[in-house]
Amino acid sequence: MKGLLRNSFVLLVSLFIIQSASAQLRFETQHHFKPFEVLLDAGLARPAGKGAKAGVLLALEPRFNALDRLTVGLRMEATAMIRGYAGLNGMDPNANGEAGLGISFVPAAEYYFANRTVRPFIGGGAGVYNFLSVEANSEGGGSVKIPASTKFGGMARVGVEVWHIRAAVEYNFVAKTGEINNNYLGIKLGIILGGGQYSLEDTY
Protein backbone atom coordinates (compact mmCIF):
# COMPACT_ATOMS: atom_id res chain seq x y z
CA MET A 1 0.00 0.00 0.00
CA LYS A 2 2.78 2.39 0.95
CA GLY A 3 4.61 1.54 -2.25
CA LEU A 4 1.51 2.29 -4.31
CA LEU A 5 1.05 5.67 -2.60
CA ARG A 6 4.72 6.49 -3.08
CA ASN A 7 4.60 5.58 -6.76
CA SER A 8 1.42 7.60 -7.25
CA PHE A 9 2.99 10.62 -5.56
CA VAL A 10 6.11 10.35 -7.74
CA LEU A 11 3.92 10.07 -10.85
CA LEU A 12 1.91 13.20 -9.92
CA VAL A 13 5.07 15.20 -9.22
CA SER A 14 6.58 14.06 -12.52
CA LEU A 15 3.44 15.05 -14.44
CA PHE A 16 3.44 18.45 -12.73
CA ILE A 17 7.09 19.06 -13.63
CA ILE A 18 6.54 18.01 -17.24
CA GLN A 19 3.48 20.26 -17.54
CA SER A 20 5.32 23.22 -16.00
CA ALA A 21 8.34 22.72 -18.26
CA SER A 22 6.08 22.43 -21.32
CA ALA A 23 4.24 25.63 -20.40
CA GLN A 24 7.54 27.46 -19.82
CA LEU A 25 8.91 26.23 -23.15
CA ARG A 26 5.80 27.42 -24.99
CA PHE A 27 6.04 30.81 -23.27
CA GLU A 28 9.70 31.24 -24.18
CA THR A 29 9.35 30.19 -27.83
CA GLN A 30 6.06 31.76 -28.88
CA HIS A 31 5.75 35.35 -30.07
CA HIS A 32 4.35 36.97 -26.94
CA PHE A 33 5.08 40.68 -27.47
CA LYS A 34 2.76 42.90 -29.47
CA PRO A 35 4.30 43.66 -32.86
CA PHE A 36 4.20 47.48 -33.11
CA GLU A 37 5.40 50.16 -30.71
CA VAL A 38 6.85 53.68 -30.66
CA LEU A 39 9.80 54.67 -28.50
CA LEU A 40 10.15 58.24 -27.18
CA ASP A 41 13.54 59.17 -25.70
CA ALA A 42 15.10 62.24 -24.11
CA GLY A 43 18.48 62.71 -22.55
CA LEU A 44 22.02 64.05 -22.58
CA ALA A 45 24.13 64.40 -25.72
CA ARG A 46 27.88 64.51 -24.98
CA PRO A 47 30.01 65.24 -28.07
CA ALA A 48 33.61 64.10 -28.37
CA GLY A 49 36.64 66.28 -29.05
CA LYS A 50 38.32 69.32 -27.47
CA GLY A 51 36.10 72.35 -27.01
CA ALA A 52 32.92 70.26 -27.12
CA LYS A 53 30.10 70.87 -24.65
CA ALA A 54 27.20 68.62 -23.71
CA GLY A 55 23.67 69.32 -24.83
CA VAL A 56 20.32 67.60 -25.07
CA LEU A 57 18.67 65.10 -27.40
CA LEU A 58 15.18 63.99 -28.31
CA ALA A 59 14.40 60.82 -30.27
CA LEU A 60 11.41 59.12 -31.87
CA GLU A 61 11.69 55.48 -32.95
CA PRO A 62 8.84 53.49 -34.55
CA ARG A 63 9.63 49.80 -34.03
CA PHE A 64 8.50 46.34 -35.09
CA ASN A 65 8.97 43.29 -32.85
CA ALA A 66 10.04 40.88 -35.58
CA LEU A 67 10.80 38.01 -33.17
CA ASP A 68 10.49 37.44 -29.43
CA ARG A 69 13.95 38.85 -28.82
CA LEU A 70 14.55 40.92 -31.96
CA THR A 71 13.19 44.40 -32.62
CA VAL A 72 13.86 46.58 -35.67
CA GLY A 73 13.03 50.24 -36.12
CA LEU A 74 14.03 53.68 -37.40
CA ARG A 75 15.62 56.04 -34.89
CA MET A 76 14.97 59.71 -35.71
CA GLU A 77 16.99 61.86 -33.34
CA ALA A 78 17.58 65.59 -32.85
CA THR A 79 20.53 66.90 -30.84
CA ALA A 80 21.55 70.36 -29.64
CA MET A 81 25.21 70.42 -28.58
CA ILE A 82 28.51 72.23 -29.20
CA ARG A 83 30.75 70.04 -31.32
CA GLY A 84 34.54 70.10 -30.79
CA TYR A 85 36.27 72.99 -32.56
CA ALA A 86 39.25 73.94 -30.35
CA GLY A 87 42.54 74.34 -32.23
CA LEU A 88 40.99 75.05 -35.64
CA ASN A 89 43.08 77.52 -37.68
CA GLY A 90 45.05 78.58 -34.59
CA MET A 91 41.85 79.49 -32.78
CA ASP A 92 41.83 80.29 -29.07
CA PRO A 93 41.13 76.99 -27.21
CA ASN A 94 38.85 78.93 -24.85
CA ALA A 95 36.51 79.88 -27.68
CA ASN A 96 32.78 79.62 -27.13
CA GLY A 97 30.08 78.85 -29.63
CA GLU A 98 26.37 78.24 -29.89
CA ALA A 99 24.84 74.81 -29.72
CA GLY A 100 24.31 73.39 -33.16
CA LEU A 101 21.33 71.31 -34.22
CA GLY A 102 21.85 67.80 -35.53
CA ILE A 103 19.29 65.40 -36.98
CA SER A 104 19.89 61.73 -37.70
CA PHE A 105 17.97 58.89 -39.34
CA VAL A 106 19.32 55.51 -38.29
CA PRO A 107 17.71 52.11 -38.99
CA ALA A 108 18.41 50.09 -35.85
CA ALA A 109 17.98 46.60 -34.41
CA GLU A 110 17.99 45.31 -30.83
CA TYR A 111 18.48 41.89 -29.28
CA TYR A 112 16.88 41.19 -25.88
CA PHE A 113 18.34 38.74 -23.38
CA ALA A 114 14.99 37.94 -21.74
CA ASN A 115 11.29 37.69 -22.56
CA ARG A 116 10.07 38.88 -19.18
CA THR A 117 9.19 42.24 -17.65
CA VAL A 118 12.86 43.17 -17.13
CA ARG A 119 14.66 42.96 -20.50
CA PRO A 120 18.36 43.86 -20.87
CA PHE A 121 19.34 44.51 -24.51
CA ILE A 122 22.10 45.39 -26.92
CA GLY A 123 21.67 46.92 -30.34
CA GLY A 124 23.03 49.06 -33.11
CA GLY A 125 22.46 50.53 -36.53
CA ALA A 126 23.80 52.77 -39.27
CA GLY A 127 22.38 55.74 -41.12
CA VAL A 128 22.62 59.43 -42.02
CA TYR A 129 23.57 62.30 -39.68
CA ASN A 130 22.90 65.95 -40.58
CA PHE A 131 24.57 68.83 -38.70
CA LEU A 132 23.63 72.48 -39.22
CA SER A 133 26.32 75.17 -39.36
CA VAL A 134 27.18 77.31 -36.31
CA GLU A 135 29.74 80.01 -35.55
CA ALA A 136 32.22 79.96 -32.65
CA ASN A 137 33.78 83.12 -31.18
CA SER A 138 37.17 83.23 -29.43
CA GLU A 139 38.14 85.33 -26.43
CA GLY A 140 40.62 87.14 -28.70
CA GLY A 141 37.86 88.31 -31.01
CA GLY A 142 38.38 85.76 -33.75
CA SER A 143 35.71 83.45 -35.10
CA VAL A 144 35.33 80.37 -37.18
CA LYS A 145 32.28 78.84 -38.80
CA ILE A 146 31.60 75.18 -38.24
CA PRO A 147 30.03 74.17 -41.57
CA ALA A 148 26.86 72.21 -42.14
CA SER A 149 27.48 68.62 -43.11
CA THR A 150 25.77 65.33 -43.91
CA LYS A 151 27.69 62.26 -42.83
CA PHE A 152 27.23 58.49 -42.68
CA GLY A 153 27.65 56.94 -39.26
CA GLY A 154 26.87 54.07 -36.96
CA MET A 155 25.40 53.64 -33.50
CA ALA A 156 25.84 51.05 -30.73
CA ARG A 157 23.56 50.86 -27.68
CA VAL A 158 23.05 48.94 -24.47
CA GLY A 159 20.34 49.25 -21.86
CA VAL A 160 17.37 47.75 -20.08
CA GLU A 161 13.58 47.89 -20.40
CA VAL A 162 11.25 47.49 -17.43
CA TRP A 163 7.64 47.25 -18.59
CA HIS A 164 7.17 50.43 -20.73
CA ILE A 165 10.14 52.34 -19.31
CA ARG A 166 13.69 52.06 -20.63
CA ALA A 167 17.15 53.45 -20.04
CA ALA A 168 19.97 53.24 -22.57
CA VAL A 169 23.46 54.42 -23.37
CA GLU A 170 24.33 54.94 -27.03
CA TYR A 171 27.54 55.89 -28.80
CA ASN A 172 27.36 57.41 -32.26
CA PHE A 173 30.34 56.97 -34.57
CA VAL A 174 30.13 59.69 -37.22
CA ALA A 175 32.69 60.70 -39.85
CA LYS A 176 34.51 63.99 -39.18
CA THR A 177 33.69 67.32 -40.85
CA GLY A 178 37.19 68.55 -41.62
CA GLU A 179 38.77 68.65 -38.17
CA ILE A 180 35.40 68.68 -36.39
CA ASN A 181 34.71 65.55 -34.32
CA ASN A 182 31.08 64.49 -34.88
CA ASN A 183 31.07 61.49 -32.51
CA TYR A 184 28.79 61.79 -29.50
CA LEU A 185 27.49 59.83 -26.54
CA GLY A 186 23.77 59.69 -25.75
CA ILE A 187 22.44 58.88 -22.28
CA LYS A 188 18.68 58.31 -22.52
CA LEU A 189 15.54 57.69 -20.57
CA GLY A 190 12.42 56.81 -22.54
CA ILE A 191 8.91 55.46 -22.62
CA ILE A 192 7.35 52.93 -25.00
CA LEU A 193 3.94 53.66 -26.49
CA GLY A 194 2.01 50.59 -27.59
CA GLY A 195 3.70 47.21 -27.77
CA GLY A 196 4.03 45.39 -24.50
CA GLN A 197 3.59 41.80 -23.47
CA TYR A 198 0.55 39.68 -24.25
CA SER A 199 -1.26 38.20 -21.27
CA LEU A 200 -0.14 34.73 -20.20
CA GLU A 201 -3.45 33.25 -21.35
CA ASP A 202 -2.85 34.53 -24.89
CA THR A 203 0.52 32.75 -25.13
CA TYR A 204 -0.83 29.22 -24.57
Side-chain angles (χ1 to χ4, degrees), residues 43-47 53-58 78-83 98-103:
L44 175 73
R46 181 64 176 91
K53 293 184 179 179
V56 296
L57 61 83
L58 294 172
T79 59
M81 59 188 178
I82 299 177
R83 290 178 286 155
E98 296 181 354
L101 179 66
I103 301 175

Side-chain angles (χ1 to χ4, degrees), residues 55-132:
V56 296
L57 61 83
L58 294 172
L60 170 69
E61 188 172 334
R63 292 146 54 93
F64 174 66
N65 294 313
L67 298 172
D68 286 342
R69 301 193 182 192
L70 178 65
T71 297
V72 294
L74 175 64
R75 193 200 72 179
M76 296 172 281
E77 182 168 276
T79 59
M81 59 188 178
I82 299 177
R83 290 178 286 155
Y85 51 77
L88 288 178
N89 300 322
M91 188 177 171
D92 188 336
N94 296 315
N96 295 306
E98 296 181 354
L101 179 66
I103 301 175
S104 61
F105 301 88
V106 178
E110 286 182 357
Y111 176 79
Y112 292 87
F113 293 97
N115 286 337
R116 298 298 186 176
T117 302
V118 179
R119 309 181 74 200
F121 63 82
I122 59 172
V128 176
Y129 292 75
N130 297 291
F131 299 99
L132 301 185

Side-chain angles (χ1 to χ4, degrees), residues 107-186:
E110 286 182 357
Y111 176 79
Y112 292 87
F113 293 97
N115 286 337
R116 298 298 186 176
T117 302
V118 179
R119 309 181 74 200
F121 63 82
I122 59 172
V128 176
Y129 292 75
N130 297 291
F131 299 99
L132 301 185
S133 63
V134 293
E135 186 170 287
N137 301 307
S138 72
E139 292 182 350
S143 66
V144 63
K145 188 173 184 179
I146 301 177
S149 62
T150 299
K151 298 292 182 178
F152 182 81
M155 175 272 295
R157 61 167 54 145
V158 61
V160 62
E161 287 184 9
V162 181
W163 192 53
H164 285 265
I165 305 296
R166 64 182 263 145
V169 176
E170 298 179 351
Y171 198 84
N172 295 268
F173 304 87
V174 190
K176 289 184 177 181
T177 302
E179 296 181 55
I180 304 298
N181 192 332
N182 292 322
N183 294 347
Y184 69 93
L185 174 73

